Amino acid sequence: PELSLWGYPPRDLLLSPEHLQQQSEALTQLQQGLRHALPQTALLVGMVEPATDRQHPRLFNAAALVDANSWRVVARKQLLPTYDVFDESRYFRPADQPSVLNFEAEGQDWRLGLTICEDLWVEDALQAQRLVGPDPIANLIPEQVDVLLNLSASPYGRSKASIRHQLAARAAQRLDCPVIYVNQVGGNDELVFDGGSFVVAATGEVELQLPSCRDAIACWDSTHRSAAVPAITTNSSESPDLEQLFQALVLGVRDYADKCGFQRALLGLSGGIDSALVAVIATAALGADRVQALLMPSPWSSIGSIDDAEALAKRLGIST
């Protein structure tokens, strides 16, 4: 996905020479790992490319092709969002041309169109707002690409998955080729990335869909138009929209705790619905053995407040 070696958004870490050096080392390690274990495999990796001049901003939001022999930059992002949680123009300069990768695999030549996240969001009729700038999809039409890939870091939002599908389907129809959409998975501080990567055919129909809010790997065969897809299951009787919202909250809490090194959670349990929901999310994210609840008796608390809190704790298996 987009900026996958950094996590999104990296913000002022992008200004650190030490982190840029670590990125180069990580790309070299990937290349060496492929050489020893998977010499016929190539990876596209979201990364940062330093510009060669002294003008500011000095970076490109880019993608590298890594194979057993080397790694090199093959794509740069054209549309840089600066609204809501995004502030890319502070760090990056936009690319001024489309990215096409000529690629040979199993005796067949491929022309891969490469876009990064916002470069796909160019349909006025489908989105509330569109960045002023080029239309990266239109610029790829003369290139006659065989497949379009979009490396994305798109945060969770209710109903956003549907918009992503519609945007990819429209791009597939305009380019007359399949579109592979790869989205980041995980919680980074206050943002949650719900994944849900997918492939649409040239007609716009979905050929592969990965589950939301968890890591998953699938294989899509571009020759036979087949896919090996992990099963998507849910134990919820709620609507898929509410189920996805719950899973996004669980993912955000789990990653925030684990990435910050928190071992346990302590929370107040009043017997009311607010703390009950917090306790359910915490238990689903961390496990019952890592959650402890604090009952809150007082002269103003009813007996029901304590009884309800204890009943919930028993159901969840958490200590109080």
Side-chain angles (χ1 to χ4, degrees), residues 8-35:
Y8 192 99
R11 297 195 175 96
D12 281 5
L13 294 177
L14 291 164
L15 307 179
S16 164
E18 290 81 7
H19 283 79
L20 288 171
Q21 178 61 35
Q22 289 177 359
Q23 173 184 257
S24 296
E25 294 170 357
L27 287 165
T28 300
Q29 290 174 2
L30 283 173
Q31 176 255 315
Q32 293 173 346
L34 289 177
R35 179 191 298 170

Side-chain angles (χ1 to χ4, degrees), residues 102-155:
N102 294 306
F103 191 78
E104 182 181 349
E106 297 181 351
Q108 183 175 353
D109 292 326
W110 294 85
R111 287 177 61 78
L112 307 181
L114 305 177
T115 54
I116 300 176
C117 202
E118 197 84 16
D119 293 345
L120 193 67
W121 293 67
V122 292
E123 300 294 337
D124 293 331
L126 298 178
Q127 54 196 97
Q129 55 187 351
R130 181 228 194 281
L131 287 182
V132 174
D135 181 342
I137 304 303
N139 292 338
L140 283 170
I141 292 176
E143 302 291 341
Q144 298 183 317
V145 295
D146 299 300
V147 179
L148 175 70
L149 293 95
N150 184 266
L151 281 63
S152 188
S154 179

Side-chain angles (χ1 to χ4, degrees), residues 22-306:
Q22 289 177 359
Q23 173 184 257
S24 296
E25 294 170 357
L27 287 165
T28 300
Q29 290 174 2
L30 283 173
Q31 176 255 315
Q32 293 173 346
L34 289 177
R35 179 191 298 170
H36 289 104
L38 298 166
Q40 302 302 316
T41 300
L43 301 175
L44 280 171
V45 182
M47 47 85 72
V48 169
E49 179 194 13
T52 56
D53 56 37
R54 294 179 174 270
Q55 299 180 28
H56 183 80
R58 301 187 63 179
L59 301 172
F60 290 100
N61 186 337
L65 178 71
V66 186
D67 59 29
N69 299 314
S70 63
W71 65 266
R72 60 187 174 93
V73 175
V74 293
R76 295 169 174 170
K77 190 173 183 177
Q78 298 179 63
L79 296 176
L80 304 179
T82 306
Y83 60 88
D84 195 25
V85 299
F86 307 104
D87 192 18
E88 291 196 28
S89 294
R90 170 181 170 88
Y91 306 98
F92 300 115
R93 64 177 70 174
D96 56 6
Q97 59 186 7
S99 300
V100 178
L101 174 61
N102 294 306
F103 191 78
E104 182 181 349
E106 297 181 351
Q108 183 175 353
D109 292 326
W110 294 85
R111 287 177 61 78
L112 307 181
L114 305 177
T115 54
I116 300 176
C117 202
E118 197 84 16
D119 293 345
L120 193 67
W121 293 67
V122 292
E123 300 294 337
D124 293 331
L126 298 178
Q127 54 196 97
Q129 55 187 351
R130 181 228 194 281
L131 287 182
V132 174
D135 181 342
I137 304 303
N139 292 338
L140 283 170
I141 292 176
E143 302 291 341
Q144 298 183 317
V145 295
D146 299 300
V147 179
L148 175 70
L149 293 95
N150 184 266
L151 281 63
S152 188
S154 179
Y156 167 80
R158 297 189 72 174
S159 302
K160 188 183 280 189
S162 175
I163 297 175
R164 296 175 191 146
H165 280 97
Q166 295 177 61
L167 290 168
R170 179 62 182 140
Q173 292 163 354
R174 293 173 69 188
L175 296 173
D176 191 27
C177 73
V179 173
I180 302 174
Y181 182 92
V182 181
N183 191 29
Q184 185 176 151
V185 183
N188 287 340
D189 291 332
E190 75 276 20
L191 297 181
V192 180
F193 298 89
D194 54 311
S197 301
F198 60 87
V199 178
V200 297
T203 60
E205 297 178 354
V206 177
E207 291 193 337
L208 181 153
Q209 175 66 63
L210 293 188
S212 298
C213 297
R214 61 185 175 93
D215 293 328
I217 298 175
C219 179
W220 177 74
D221 188 324
S222 60
T223 303
H224 300 97
R225 292 293 189 267
S226 63
V229 188
I232 302 175
T233 60
T234 174
N235 296 320
S236 174
S237 60
E238 298 288 352
S239 70
D241 189 42
L242 287 178
E243 172 70 11
Q244 187 180 30
L245 173 58
F246 177 75
Q247 294 300 334
L249 292 169
V250 169
L251 175 63
V253 171
R254 178 188 298 126
D255 273 11
Y256 184 81
D258 289 347
K259 292 180 180 181
C260 291
F262 299 144
Q263 299 301 314
R264 296 177 58 81
L266 175 67
L267 54 91
L269 201 57
S270 68
I273 193 169
D274 293 348
S275 65
L277 178 60
V278 170
V280 169
I281 293 172
T283 304
L286 307 178
D289 59 329
R290 296 174 61 189
V291 178
Q292 183 167 10
L294 181 66
L295 305 183
M296 297 188 289
S298 78
W300 298 277
S301 295
S302 68
I303 296 299
S305 296
I306 304 301

